[in-house]
Each structure stands twice: as structure tokens, then as C-alpha cells.
Amino acid sequence: MARPDKAAAVAELTEQFRSSNAAVLTEYRGLTVAQLKTLRRSLGENAQYAVVKNTLTKIAANEAGITTLDDLFNGPTAVAFVTGDPVVSAKGLRDFAKDNPNLVIKGGVLDGKALSADEIKKLADLESREVLLAKLAGVLKGKQTQAAQVFQALPSKLVRTVDALRAKQDEQGGAE
């Protein structure tokens, strides 16, 4: 491969690192082309899985400001570049690795922070962003309902207290 081709490949990989929320490095040794195709589908629409050359990818990652992955560029390496919800892609990788032990998650980076293979598996155990937002909305709605009940209780308690005072005054006035 000529030098301009390598420079173009590095530039493309650098742009992918910069435009991605997350990147997960894997070892794919022993996977068939059909299995790799299945893996790509399992990552979701917002992820791109690419088999890469270690040296060029290491240079591209460094140019993108990611130096924490340098130790992971050994052996056959592929990178999942995630532009959407990283939880969905992490789940896809974890589930595929359960069925295909030849896929080994090496580590990755999420929003500039290095992640170990175990941290990526923990990320996969999280619920998706949409589910977490729905739960948060439910909690907030519950708190609003509680606040409304408190605000409604205050005036009615005041009215009951005033009525009780009137009744007491009427009793005292009638007793005189």
C-alpha cells in the first residue's frame, strides 16, 4: 500500500475517533465472515465495526487525542465506533461474545475516558438511555403528584381548622 493510502486511512480513522461517543476494541481471531456480519448487525444502527491495522489505528487514536488505548493494539484488532447510545452497542458486543467466545473485548474509550473490558461489560448491564429517561420521568411525575397533594391538603386543613374554631366559638357563645 502506498504512503498516500496510509495517510488517507489514518485521516479517516482519526475522524471516526473524533466523531464517536465511544470506541470499543475487540479481538476477532477465529470469527467467520458470516459471524462478523451478524456482529455488525447486533451493534445497532449507530455503530460501525471495522477491522483495522494496529499501527495505523494507534496513530489515528493518538492524533485524535486518545493515548489510553496504546497497549490494546496487538493481535487482530477490530474497532466498534459508536455514535449513538453506547449501552446498545456494549450489549450487542457482550451478547455476541457470550455466543461466540472467539470475540474478545479488549477495552475502549467512552467520551475520552478509558474503559477496561470489565467496565464495558458493566456498561452493557445498564438499561438504555430511553429506559433510564422514562424512569426518571416517572419519578419526577410521582414527586409532582405528591407536591400537588401537599398543596391541596394545606388549604383544606386551614378550612377545617377555621371551621373547628368557629364551632368552638359558637359553643362558647351559646354557653354564656
Side-chain angles (χ1 to χ4, degrees):
M1 183 157 44
R3 290 298 250 169
D5 291 343
K6 289 182 180 182
V10 168
E12 182 181 337
L13 287 169
T14 302
E15 180 55 34
Q16 284 183 311
F17 274 112
R18 286 185 178 147
S19 64
S20 299
N21 299 343
V24 180
L25 276 67
T26 64
E27 183 175 320
Y28 64 93
R29 187 186 328 245
L31 293 177
T32 66
V33 173
Q35 288 172 323
L36 287 173
K37 187 176 180 182
T38 303
L39 172 59
R40 285 184 174 100
R41 273 189 258 127
S42 71
L43 293 178
E45 297 174 6
N46 297 321
Q48 189 176 29
Y49 190 74
V51 174
V52 295
K53 290 188 177 277
N54 288 332
T55 306
L56 299 180
T57 308
K58 185 176 179 179
I59 292 168
N62 288 331
E63 285 183 12
I66 302 168
T67 58
T68 55
L69 301 177
D70 289 354
D71 296 338
L72 302 178
F73 291 113
N74 50 30
T77 303
V79 182
F81 294 103
V82 182
T83 55
D85 187 2
V87 174
V88 173
S89 297
K91 284 183 185 198
L93 284 168
R94 179 200 59 196
D95 295 344
F96 187 85
K98 282 181 185 175
D99 297 335
N100 301 282
N102 287 336
L103 180 74
V104 177
I105 299 172
K106 294 180 177 182
V109 63
L110 173 64
D111 293 328
K113 180 189 176 292
L115 297 175
S116 68
D118 290 334
E119 290 172 321
I120 292 170
K121 290 173 184 170
K122 287 179 186 176
L123 181 66
D125 292 336
L126 290 176
E127 293 172 330
S128 71
R129 183 176 190 271
E130 290 79 19
V131 171
L132 291 174
L133 287 174
K135 285 184 175 185
L136 177 63
V139 167
L140 292 176
K141 183 178 178 189
K143 293 297 179 187
Q144 287 177 341
T145 303
Q146 288 175 346
Q149 289 171 348
V150 167
F151 292 137
Q152 287 175 349
L154 290 175
S156 64
K157 185 175 181 181
L158 177 66
V159 169
R160 286 192 304 270
T161 304
V162 170
D163 285 344
L165 284 173
R166 266 197 204 126
K168 189 174 183 180
Q169 285 179 348
D170 289 344
E171 284 177 16
Q172 288 175 353
E176 294 177 18

